[in-house]
């Protein structure tokens, strides 16, 4: 009888967890930063393009190399995007908040391939393959990273243990995109794209709430309305609400 009850519990827990992904294939991770304990894992982690979650790594590289400062203004090049907020001058904070691709491309070109590859190795960032080019390797091209690798990367960033300056890590955390709900605070970055013929959504972040500090990561592949990254972040928030953490 006990075994039957436990089996039913595990089955229901698995079904509840699957709802995080909305029936799509992907991976969800909730990790307690206090002791690196995996609180919840749903799905399978596999290497996927980072898309705009790569901006976290790009910020670290650029702050460390001192080509990016909080006060630097990136002058708009006049190339129009469908999003009006992209078609204007940007700062470090607006680059991250508005997810402005042309600023990332400016920074990677200023860093150059040799320095980018060296930083990818120092950060142990995914497959470290930037052969897709300085302007698009992270945009559903050669650079791939799985949720577990993202978790280690974000954990080390939060603990200031990455192989870049402490100042670069502090500055990068400062410009992460923040959502709040009461005492809970979620700092992270979304990523959107198309991969293997379907929508790709990614979210990497750190939740600070009354229960503690947690890494939160979600990847999914499957049809969605709007940018996949925004859908991924909303899926995270909805699930945190169900857990009483938001």
């Amino acid at each position: 009888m006990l075994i039957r009850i436990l089996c039913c519990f595990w089955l229901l827990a698995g079904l509840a967890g699957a709802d995080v992904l909305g029936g799509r294939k992907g991976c969800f991770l909730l990790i307690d930063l206090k002791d690196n304990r995996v609180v919840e894992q749903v799905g399978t982690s596999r290497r996927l393009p980072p898309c705009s979650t790569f901006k976290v790594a790009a910020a670290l590289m650029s702050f460390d190399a001192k080509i990016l400062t909080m006060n630097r203004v990136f002058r708009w090049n006049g190339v129009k995007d469908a999003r009006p907020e992209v078609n204007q001058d940007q700062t470090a904070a607006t680059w991250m908040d508005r997810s402005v691709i042309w600023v990332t491309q400016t920074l990677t070109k200023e860093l150059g391939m040799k320095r980018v590859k060296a930083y990818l190795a120092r950060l142990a960032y995914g497959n470290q393959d930037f052969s897709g080019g300085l302007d698009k390797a992270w945009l559903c091209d050669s650079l791939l990273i799985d949720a577990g690798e993202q978790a280690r990367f974000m954990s080390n960033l939060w603990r200031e243990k990455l192989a870049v300056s402490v100042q670069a890590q502090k500055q990068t955390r400062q410009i992460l995109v923040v959502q709040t709900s009461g005492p809970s605070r979620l700092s992270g970055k979304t990523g959107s794209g198309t991969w293997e013929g379907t929508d790709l959504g990614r979210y990497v972040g750190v939740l600070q709430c009354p229960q503690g500090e947690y890494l939160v990561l979600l990847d999914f592949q499957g049809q969605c309305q709007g940018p996949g990254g925004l859908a991924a972040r909303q899926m995270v928030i909805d699930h945190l609400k169900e857990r009483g953490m938001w």
Side-chain angles (χ1 to χ4, degrees):
M1 178 64 72
L2 177 59
I3 293 174
R4 184 178 297 175
I5 291 171
L6 287 174
C7 286
C8 290
F9 172 78
W10 289 329
L11 177 60
L12 289 172
L15 290 172
D19 288 341
V20 184
L21 300 170
R24 305 173 182 89
K25 71 177 179 178
C27 179
F28 172 79
L29 284 174
L30 182 65
I31 300 172
D32 193 331
L33 274 170
K34 180 175 62 180
D35 52 12
N36 282 333
R37 178 175 56 92
V38 178
V39 177
E40 182 179 1
Q41 179 172 357
V42 176
T44 304
S45 174
R46 59 188 292 259
R47 280 181 166 172
L48 296 165
C51 300
S52 283
T53 65
F54 172 70
K55 287 182 174 66
V56 181
L60 283 163
M61 299 177 192
S62 302
F63 279 128
D64 188 68
K66 301 191 185 307
I67 64 169
L68 178 62
T69 67
M70 290 297 190
N71 297 323
R72 179 175 176 180
V73 176
F74 295 86
R75 301 299 179 188
W76 179 44
N77 58 12
V79 178
K80 288 194 174 182
D81 185 270
R83 295 183 296 143
E85 67 271 20
V86 172
N87 304 329
Q88 54 189 282
D89 296 348
Q90 307 290 338
T91 64
T94 63
W95 161 54
M96 192 69 71
D97 182 53
R98 299 168 181 169
S99 205
V100 185
I101 292 174
W102 64 260
V103 173
T104 316
Q105 293 168 331
T106 298
L107 291 169
T108 52
K109 289 173 184 177
E110 289 183 8
L111 284 164
M113 186 63 77
K114 184 176 180 179
R115 280 203 289 185
V116 168
K117 286 184 175 181
Y119 273 120
L120 289 172
R122 286 164 62 181
L123 298 173
Y125 194 86
N127 67 353
Q128 302 172 36
D129 184 353
F130 227 67
S131 61
L134 289 169
D135 60 345
K136 64 181 182 68
W138 66 96
L139 296 171
C140 295
D141 205 290
S142 60
L143 186 63
L144 304 173
I145 187 168
D146 67 32
E149 291 165 331
Q150 289 265 39
R152 287 189 291 275
F153 169 70
M154 290 296 289
S155 175
N156 287 329
L157 168 61
W158 219 252
R159 294 189 172 101
E160 298 177 353
K161 290 185 176 180
L162 291 171
V164 293
S165 70
V166 170
Q167 178 71 2
Q169 294 175 80
K170 289 182 184 295
Q171 290 172 312
T172 299
R173 291 201 310 273
Q174 188 177 336
I175 64 172
L176 292 177
V177 183
V178 174
Q179 277 75 40
T180 60
S181 176
S184 298
R185 176 184 174 95
L186 190 60
S187 306
K189 187 69 191 79
T190 58
S192 308
T194 302
W195 187 246
E196 297 173 337
T198 191
D199 294 326
L200 170 64
R202 308 198 74 171
Y203 182 77
V204 298
V206 172
L207 170 70
Q208 296 165 292
C209 64
Q211 293 92 325
E213 286 190 326
Y214 300 85
L215 283 173
V216 189
L217 301 100
L218 189 146
D219 305 331
F220 77 84
Q221 288 179 271
Q223 189 173 3
C224 67
Q225 291 186 342
L230 296 184
R233 186 175 67 194
Q234 190 58 51
M235 289 156 71
V236 164
I237 289 173
D238 290 344
H239 191 58
L240 293 176
K241 286 179 181 177
E242 292 175 357
R243 294 187 65 99
M245 302 170 78
W246 188 257

